[in-house]
């Protein structure tokens, strides 16, 4: 007789999604108090739909103008700061959730990696029809979670509806970056493999040759693929990933510059500081102080 291999995992399927899925109004988008304890840690993932708002949002240190209708897909690694126009009445639909959601719904790896993909710029402009469509889907999920918890096939219904949200978001991403939907294209396929390897090894592999040997590619092949898809050389992509992680660690942790350098695979902290200065025109501690100053300024408003 076949044994049940993971009883704990089996019991997990019966958990109440309200324990890791939240639909409360996202007032923090215009609430300065939010920035004093950003955001509630137990909900690390967010899907936010904003309607007819103006202002800006900084996501991973890049500023995006907010206008009309926009969708934001934010994961636990993203650094973000909403700065909507004063007096804005936030009309939005949103969900916040934890890592548990992906296991609960049995989602394919694509959705999970999408929220954690550093190469994604997670903001999308929507037209009025898309707003109505996505609003209805998220509203249906909320209704199911709060009113049908005891109904048969509740978990299946929640998973099915949430997958529609994920597909909608990923479809917007592939519209913006169509290489993601071209598995048959050699350039796209190589670039995707390179990004996967980079995400796994960037903490200790900083040279192009590390990746070409790992992937069995010639350096020209990899560079050509990166240029065709991203408009960058392979080395520029590696540096881009290292720099983003350095910024995230400088802002999101209290680790010393020395510790961050070692965490990112630099044998010499001075080399890391020079690398950071060359790429940003700021020394690491300067960057950290400037970002901290921006947060403190917002808290005083």
């Amino acid at each position: 007789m076949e044994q049940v291999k993971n009883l704990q995992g089996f019991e997990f399927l019966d958990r109440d999604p309200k324990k890791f899925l939240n639909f409360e109004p996202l007032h923090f988008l215009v609430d300065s108090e939010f920035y004093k304890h950003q955001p509630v840690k137990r909900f690390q993932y967010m899907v936010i739909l904003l309607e007819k708002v103006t202002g800006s949002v900084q996501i991973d240190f890049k500023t995006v103008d907010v206008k009309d209708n926009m969708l934001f897909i934010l994961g636990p690694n993203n650094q973000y700061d909403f700065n909507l126009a004063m007096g804005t009445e936030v009309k939005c639909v949103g969900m916040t959730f934890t890592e548990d959601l992906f296991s609960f719904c049995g989602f394919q790896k694509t959705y999970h990696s999408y929220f954690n993909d550093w190469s994604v710029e997670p903001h999308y402009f929507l037209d009025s029809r898309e707003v109505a469509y996505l609003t209805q889907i998220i509203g249906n999920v909320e209704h199911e979670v709060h009113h049908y918890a005891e109904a048969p096939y509740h978990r299946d219904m929640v998973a099915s509806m949430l997958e529609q949200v994920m597909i909608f978001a990923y479809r917007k991403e592939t519209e913006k970056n169509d290489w993601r939907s071209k598995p048959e294209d050699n350039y796209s396929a190589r670039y995707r493999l390179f990004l996967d390897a980079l995400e796994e090894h960037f903490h200790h592999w900083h040279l192009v040759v590390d990746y070409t040997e790992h992937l069995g590619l010639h350096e020209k092949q990899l560079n050509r693929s990166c240029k065709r898809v991203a408009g960058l050389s392979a080395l520029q992509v590696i540096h881009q990933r290292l720099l983003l992680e350095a910024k995230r660690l400088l802002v999101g942790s209290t680790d010393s510059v020395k510790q961050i350098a070692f965490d990112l695979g630099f044998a010499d902290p001075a080399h890391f500081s020079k690398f950071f200065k060359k790429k940003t025109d700021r020394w690491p501690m300067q960057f950290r102080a400037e970002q901290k100053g921006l947060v403190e300024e917002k808290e005083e408003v």
Side-chain angles (χ1 to χ4, degrees):
M1 179 185 293
E2 185 177 351
Q3 298 293 314
V4 177
K5 295 181 180 179
N6 188 347
L7 184 59
Q8 185 177 0
F10 177 79
E11 291 173 344
F12 174 80
L13 298 181
D14 295 326
R15 285 181 55 184
D16 182 354
K18 289 197 291 293
K19 294 178 180 177
F20 48 82
L21 179 62
N22 186 39
F23 299 93
E24 290 179 8
L26 304 175
H27 296 306
F28 65 76
L29 298 179
V30 289
D31 182 1
S32 60
E33 284 296 308
F34 160 73
Y35 296 99
K36 293 181 181 178
H37 30 265
Q38 262 217 9
V40 182
K41 289 296 181 185
R42 62 194 180 93
F43 292 111
Q44 300 177 39
Y45 295 84
M46 296 199 290
V47 174
I48 301 172
L49 171 59
L50 295 179
E51 296 183 58
K52 298 178 181 177
V53 296
T54 57
S56 65
V57 59
Q58 189 183 68
I59 304 176
D60 283 333
F61 316 102
K62 294 180 181 178
T63 300
V64 179
D65 289 332
V66 177
K67 55 184 180 181
D68 299 326
N69 309 311
M70 294 188 72
L71 172 66
F72 295 91
I73 304 294
L74 300 170
N77 295 324
N78 291 124
Q79 293 285 330
Y80 49 87
D81 179 5
F82 285 86
N83 185 22
L84 303 184
M86 292 293 290
T88 297
E89 180 183 350
V90 178
K91 182 182 180 185
C92 66
V93 174
M95 303 188 308
T96 57
F97 51 93
T98 67
E99 191 86 21
D100 293 338
L101 180 81
F102 298 100
S103 298
F104 178 84
C105 294
F107 283 151
Q108 58 177 290
K109 183 181 177 182
T110 303
Y111 303 140
H112 185 269
S113 60
Y114 172 43
F115 279 87
N116 293 284
D117 188 342
W118 71 275
S119 67
V120 168
E121 293 186 343
H123 62 276
Y124 310 95
F125 293 98
L126 306 183
D127 61 34
S128 57
R129 288 179 301 176
E130 289 174 316
V131 170
Y133 184 52
L134 186 56
T135 299
Q136 182 176 3
I137 295 173
I138 294 177
N140 287 342
V141 179
E142 182 177 11
H143 190 74
E144 173 69 26
V145 167
H146 286 118
H147 298 286
Y148 290 94
E150 304 302 322
Y153 306 108
H154 173 61
R155 174 186 172 274
D156 302 85
M157 186 66 83
V158 171
S160 174
M161 291 175 171
L162 283 170
E163 185 161 26
Q164 292 179 58
V165 177
M166 300 298 174
I167 292 172
F168 181 98
Y170 198 68
R171 184 164 61 189
K172 295 301 295 182
E173 171 61 22
T174 54
E175 287 173 4
K176 184 192 286 189
N177 295 294
D178 64 354
W179 63 268
R180 295 182 186 277
S181 60
K182 294 180 177 178
E184 74 288 347
D185 178 76
N186 285 335
Y187 296 111
S188 299
R190 289 177 193 140
Y191 184 67
R192 187 180 294 106
L193 288 172
F194 173 49
L195 288 186
D196 289 343
L198 178 60
E199 191 60 26
E200 185 176 353
H201 299 291
F202 75 88
H203 288 91
H204 50 277
W205 289 358
H206 297 175
L207 301 178
V208 175
V209 66
D210 294 326
Y211 295 93
T212 54
E213 289 180 354
H214 176 71
L215 297 172
L217 296 173
H218 192 280
E219 187 170 334
K220 286 185 178 178
Q221 287 179 307
L222 183 56
N223 273 318
R224 196 176 294 123
S225 297
C226 291
K227 286 282 188 181
R228 179 70 67 94
V229 175
L232 301 170
S233 69
L235 186 60
Q236 286 174 318
V237 176
I238 294 169
H239 286 176
Q240 199 177 63
R241 181 66 186 98
L242 276 170
L243 188 62
L244 174 58
E245 196 66 17
K247 289 179 176 179
R248 285 174 171 174
L249 291 171
L250 285 166
V251 172
S253 79
T254 57
D255 291 345
S256 67
V257 171
K258 181 179 179 180
Q259 184 60 51
I260 290 172
F262 290 148
D263 288 346
L264 292 177
F266 288 85
D268 181 1
H271 182 203
F272 165 70
S273 293
K274 289 176 183 177
F275 165 79
F276 193 90
K277 177 72 160 63
K278 182 179 179 180
K279 297 296 180 182
T280 67
D281 200 32
R282 296 285 187 278
W283 294 107
M285 287 304 293
Q286 280 182 290
F287 179 81
R288 173 177 271 173
E290 287 175 0
Q291 293 297 316
K292 183 179 178 182
L294 288 174
V295 173
E296 289 174 349
E297 235 177 74
K298 182 172 282 290
E299 287 177 354
E300 291 171 3
V301 173

